[in-house]
Amino acid sequence: MQIYLPIAELSINIFVLLAMGGGVGFLSGMFGVGGGFLMTPLLIFAGVPPAVAVASEANQITAASVSGALAHAQRGGVDYKMGFVLIVGGAFGSYAGAWFFAVLTESGQVDLMISIAYVIFLGGIGSLMFVESVITIIRRRRGDKPKPGRRPRTWVDALPFKMRFRKSKMYISVLLPLVIGALVGAMAALMGVGGGFIMIPAMVYLLNMPINVVIGTSLFQITFVTAGVTFLHSVNTQTVDMMLALILLIGAVVGAQIGVRVGAKLKGEQLRILLAVLVLAVCAKMGVDLVVQPDELFAVFPAAEGDVH
Amino acid sequence: MLTGLLLLLAVVAASPARAERLVTDLSDNMIDINARFSGTDLMVFGAIDMDIPQDDGGHGVVVEGMDYDMIVVVTSDPKDMMIRRKERISGIWVNKGMEELSGVPGYYALGTTRHLDDLLAPAVRKQYQIGLDNISLPLSQGLDAEEREGYRAGFIRNMKAKGLYKEEFGNINMREGILFWARMYFPANMPVGDYKTTVYLVRQGDIVLSRTTGLHVDKVGLERMIYNFAQQSPAAYGLVAILVALVAGWLGGFLSRKVS
């Protein structure tokens, strides 16, 4: 059954969209990742204009992260003060990102930027994940114990503007969380991702936050930042397709449930290797598309699209 | 321009003397784009009346022994569009050149009884902008001939690939030289707006008569609401999109916890 997407202005099979939502939801349930970094490229491969894919995916991530954030909040798994600092950073980052996105849309380079950003990030994260899981597997075979959690004191502790975060039992500079928040906000605006795959490692390894508040605080920040991004893209480029976001969400909710159950039966490292391979495959496809001569060198757009006022 | 005017005069002058009449209509004069819209067919049909009584404006003589041909052209309102050209810059394909095209049809479909080359002289085709080769594209003056041709061909190729521009020869059916009909397909990505369906009656390389019928294409229902809302009040749209996402996300999470 075809469904017409009002903002993307194309007709697409609703079952294809549900399957994409379900598939990515399944993976995010299984691996505990947000899935935006897979969904946006998939939408682009499916023919959705990249700008619409990014903006609508930000909208979908708001929906996908709110229930998780609420669940963690009920269990006391959110450091609100830290969340607030991250959101302030996120607000600056997403504002700058959305502005840059609108400028790039105007100059016709937004698709290129999205592809390059994906190739860099997916390539980087995918390789790291792959290497890390291979090392973990090798260590496990040898019977080594994993290293203890908390990092030693570093340059992070020397930064000024310190603030006390009671929930996380930390006394650290606000500069680093602001920068991390801003980076994630910019990524949300430019790539249509929640940024959890950057933020969670950063919170664990850089900020040294306790594990029990990391995911909740990350989801808390992502909900607010992607909501902000949705608003900015709606105003700047009118590229948020509510219908698309909702259909993807329905698939994702169902898929995530199944994913969580399947994931519980599989081994962590093997799962991560699988995810790494998947991420690298998407990265490779986008990278190849950048360098191989396209069949069609010309592309037509409505002139009004993406005018920056 | 002068030849154009002369041709037009010739058509106007010629038609009453021969006294044919063309009656055309569409199977529908509205296309509604709703959520289930995946393209549609319309029937363009009509009749050629060759025997018009004197008191009805004709000369009462049956026009016989002439071979008629028909051309159907469906166009949307002129739109402003943009075409970009990719170039390889340090190994990566980047949008480099750009041309703004103001006032070009966003949809153009042509149907005929026979191949266009056998029907109309090139000059006439150009004058009436009949056929994809004859759509006038307002490209910048600064381009050289090769660049112009590149952009022109690139634009037409793109529009054809999107199903928005097409030519079909021999798809108009005629019965007994009087009744004709053609099925025209409109894809899901057709632009909204007012369309014109023009039927040309052709005889011996000349356009004898033409009749134009309007067609209105618009998004309806939820599609229209969402689209207009996004365009007209983007800030409110953004807030609603966020609210819908929050409620849907909360509900989804709530339901899936119930299930598990």
Side-chain angles (χ1 to χ4, degrees):
Chain A
M1 194 181 87
Q2 298 291 110
I3 184 154
Y4 183 82
L5 301 172
I7 305 295
E9 300 197 295
L10 59 94
S11 169
I12 195 163
N13 192 316
I14 191 166
F15 298 112
V16 169
L17 286 180
L18 286 173
M20 279 165 58
V24 173
F26 175 79
L27 293 171
S28 55
M30 192 156 84
F31 300 118
V33 292
F37 65 97
L38 289 174
M39 186 67 94
T40 308
L42 266 182
L43 288 174
I44 296 171
F45 297 155
V48 175
V52 176
V54 165
S56 310
E57 187 49 20
N59 192 209
Q60 195 232 307
I61 295 168
T62 311
S65 49
V66 67
S67 78
L70 284 173
H72 281 274
Q74 276 165 7
R75 272 178 250 144
V78 177
D79 182 337
Y80 291 103
K81 198 171 179 186
M82 177 59 80
F84 182 71
V85 173
L86 289 169
I87 289 167
V88 171
F92 283 107
S94 53
Y95 191 83
W99 170 80
F100 190 47
F101 189 86
V103 170
L104 288 169
T105 307
E106 168 78 340
S107 65
Q109 303 303 345
V110 74
D111 302 7
L112 178 73
M113 179 280 300
I114 292 170
S115 295
I116 291 178
Y118 267 98
V119 168
I120 292 171
F121 276 98
L122 292 182
I125 300 290
S127 315
L128 280 177
M129 221 159 27
F130 188 79
V131 169
E132 203 237 17
S133 17
V134 169
I135 291 175
T136 314
I137 288 178
I138 293 171
R139 281 220 187 99
R140 178 150 305 173
R141 294 237 166 104
R142 286 202 199 126
D144 293 357
K145 289 256 159 65
K147 276 187 265 178
R150 290 216 157 187
R151 69 174 167 85
R153 294 178 74 80
T154 56
W155 56 272
V156 174
D157 302 278
L159 291 170
F161 308 113
K162 293 206 173 187
M163 197 186 258
R164 192 166 298 284
F165 296 94
R166 289 221 167 72
K167 184 91 202 176
S168 302
K169 299 186 185 70
M170 294 188 311
Y171 180 64
I172 60 158
S173 164
V174 292
L175 289 179
L176 202 56
L178 280 178
V179 169
I180 294 170
L183 176 72
V184 171
M187 286 176 65
L190 293 171
M191 300 169 67
V193 296
F197 62 98
I198 297 285
M199 191 152 50
I200 290 174
M203 287 161 111
V204 172
Y205 298 111
L206 283 177
L207 301 182
N208 206 12
M209 279 169 72
I211 291 291
N212 62 335
V213 293
V214 163
I215 292 173
T217 310
S218 161
L219 284 170
F220 179 73
Q221 193 253 9
I222 288 169
T223 306
F224 280 89
V225 169
T226 53
V229 167
T230 301
F231 182 76
L232 291 170
H233 283 320
S234 299
V235 172
N236 289 349
T237 49
Q238 290 95 47
T239 41
V240 176
D241 198 314
M242 267 194 236
M243 186 91 88
L244 175 61
L246 262 181
I247 297 169
L248 292 177
L249 180 74
I250 294 168
V253 166
V254 177
Q257 289 299 312
I258 306 167
V260 168
R261 270 156 226 182
V262 174
K265 290 179 189 141
L266 294 172
K267 275 190 185 160
E269 294 79 37
Q270 279 149 1
L271 272 178
R272 283 222 294 285
I273 287 196
L274 273 178
L275 180 62
V277 170
L278 193 70
V279 167
L280 289 173
V282 175
C283 166
K285 160 82 175 130
M286 290 200 119
V288 167
D289 287 350
L290 276 177
V291 292
V292 169
Q293 174 158 0
D295 294 334
E296 176 60 82
L297 292 179
F298 292 87
V300 174
F301 308 90
E305 187 179 288
D307 279 350
V308 179
H309 299 291
Chain B
M1 198 61 217
L2 189 65
T3 53
L5 206 64
L6 286 174
L7 276 163
L8 202 69
L9 279 174
V11 169
V12 170
S15 16
R18 282 180 188 138
E20 296 96 340
R21 186 164 57 183
L22 190 59
V23 184
T24 67
D25 206 354
L26 285 170
S27 56
D28 208 342
N29 51 21
M30 282 281 264
I31 295 180
D32 294 339
I33 298 184
N34 58 24
R36 308 278 284 282
F37 186 71
S38 57
T40 191
D41 273 332
L42 281 193
M43 188 85 93
V44 181
F45 62 91
I48 310 162
D49 188 354
M50 288 175 287
D51 178 15
I52 305 171
Q54 263 168 336
D55 54 2
D56 214 14
H59 49 51
V61 177
V62 180
V63 181
E64 269 184 308
M66 301 283 197
D67 284 328
Y68 292 102
D69 274 296
M70 328 268 320
I71 298 171
V72 177
V73 176
V74 185
T75 53
S76 70
D77 299 336
K79 300 247 180 258
D80 292 345
M81 292 205 249
M82 202 192 276
I83 178 158
R84 296 186 192 281
R85 189 187 56 203
K86 279 195 164 70
E87 259 176 48
R88 179 173 246 149
I89 295 175
S90 51
I92 292 175
W93 290 90
V94 177
N95 284 330
K96 188 77 188 304
M98 187 197 80
E99 279 290 305
E100 281 177 40
L101 303 170
S102 59
V104 291
Y107 177 88
Y108 183 102
L110 174 127
T112 61
T113 42
R114 285 190 288 152
H115 198 285
L116 203 53
D117 292 347
D118 306 331
L119 282 182
L120 281 182
V124 183
R125 275 182 269 165
K126 195 151 214 88
Q127 183 209 343
Y128 287 89
Q129 296 201 30
I130 291 175
L132 294 182
D133 295 338
N134 300 307
I135 296 173
S136 71
L137 296 184
L139 292 160
S140 326
Q141 295 303 313
L143 298 174
D144 64 38
E146 197 182 327
E147 284 174 322
R148 283 184 88 77
E149 191 38 45
Y151 273 109
R152 190 191 159 77
F155 180 78
I156 303 285
R157 267 201 314 276
N158 261 274
M159 296 304 275
K160 276 171 97 168
K162 288 174 197 241
L164 294 173
Y165 276 23
K166 60 180 160 283
E167 282 180 330
E168 218 178 320
F169 301 131
N171 64 334
I172 300 181
N173 303 285
M174 284 194 94
R175 177 78 37 97
E176 315 234 342
I178 295 173
L179 194 66
F180 69 89
W181 70 97
R183 197 179 286 280
M184 306 297 279
Y185 179 71
F186 296 86
N189 56 343
M190 66 190 301
V192 297
D194 288 312
Y195 284 58
K196 274 195 197 125
T197 303
T198 306
V199 179
Y200 297 94
L201 184 65
V202 179
R203 183 173 50 204
Q204 295 173 329
D206 272 336
I207 291 177
V208 181
L209 276 174
S210 71
R211 288 291 293 235
T212 299
T213 316
L215 169 67
H216 189 67
V217 179
D218 208 349
K219 294 178 186 175
V220 294
L222 194 60
E223 312 309 299
R224 181 194 173 87
M225 223 179 69
I226 293 177
Y227 180 81
N228 287 352
F229 187 25
Q231 296 292 323
Q232 286 158 11
S233 19
Y237 177 89
L239 292 178
V240 170
I242 295 166
L243 201 69
V244 168
L246 290 177
V247 171
W250 173 80
L251 195 70
F254 177 75
L255 289 178
S256 51
R257 271 193 293 279
K258 281 270 169 193
V259 170
S260 54

